[in-house]
């Protein structure tokens, strides 16, 4: 384990993830920066949700993400592929914030991933 200098934030400070589960869905709420340092936390949370889904949709709320790097884009694409293979619905919630929607558009993932503008809409399908 590497000790961070006292002024360096931990990955838990840079990326916060909350998960709530009920009979209708598993919702993974992500806030902060998704980059090389934090992407593994996102992968673990989404993978665990897909394992626990049992036919329920997994909704990943990205509306509080302030930075989405290429590693985060790759993790979301991988999660979509895993979800498709397991036949588990994966739905991403985004808003019009450039931090998330712009990288998705530039990469073309906005045409591939199931994007919604609210958790409520993602749960309707």
């Amino acid at each position: 384990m590497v000790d961070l200098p006292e002024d360096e934030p931990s990955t838990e400070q840079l990326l916060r993830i909350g998960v709530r589960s009920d009979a209708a869905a598993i919702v993974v709420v992500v806030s902060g920066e998704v980059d090389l340092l934090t992407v593994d936390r996102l992968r673990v949370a989404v993978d665990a949700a897909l394992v626990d889904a049992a036919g329920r949709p997994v909704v990943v709320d990205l509306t509080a993400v302030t930075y989405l790097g290429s590693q985060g884009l790759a993790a979301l694409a991988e999660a979509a592929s895993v979800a498709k293979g397991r036949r588990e619905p994966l739905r991403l919630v985004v808003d019009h914030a450039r931090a998330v929607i712009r990288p998705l558009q530039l990469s073309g993932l906005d045409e591939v991933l199931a994007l919604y503008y609210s958790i409520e809409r993602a749960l309707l399908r």
Side-chain angles (χ1 to χ4, degrees):
M1 183 169 171
V2 176
D3 288 327
L4 295 173
E6 288 187 32
D7 60 337
E8 290 289 320
S10 69
T11 59
E12 290 82 14
Q13 292 170 311
L14 294 172
L15 184 69
R16 291 162 306 287
I17 297 176
V19 179
R20 63 180 191 262
S21 178
D22 60 30
I26 298 175
V27 179
V28 179
V29 180
V30 183
S31 61
E33 301 174 11
V34 182
D35 59 15
L36 179 62
L37 215 94
T38 61
V39 72
D40 286 338
R41 295 190 66 232
L42 175 65
R43 278 192 179 103
V44 167
V46 174
D47 287 347
L50 288 170
V51 167
D52 294 341
R56 297 175 292 170
V58 173
V59 177
V60 181
D61 181 357
L62 300 172
T63 57
V65 169
T66 56
Y67 176 78
L68 181 61
S70 59
Q71 297 84 3
L73 293 170
L76 293 173
E78 291 164 14
S81 178
V82 168
K84 184 177 181 180
R86 291 183 179 167
R87 292 191 165 95
E88 301 290 354
L90 178 67
R91 301 170 184 164
L92 306 179
V93 178
V94 299
D95 57 14
H96 295 289
R98 290 179 55 92
V100 174
I101 199 66
R102 190 72 177 140
L104 289 170
Q105 290 170 334
L106 289 172
S107 66
L109 288 175
D110 63 324
E111 300 293 327
V112 178
L113 301 173
L115 302 180
Y116 297 84
Y117 289 104
S118 72
I119 291 174
E120 293 76 23
R121 286 186 181 257
L123 294 174
L124 286 177
R125 291 193 91 207

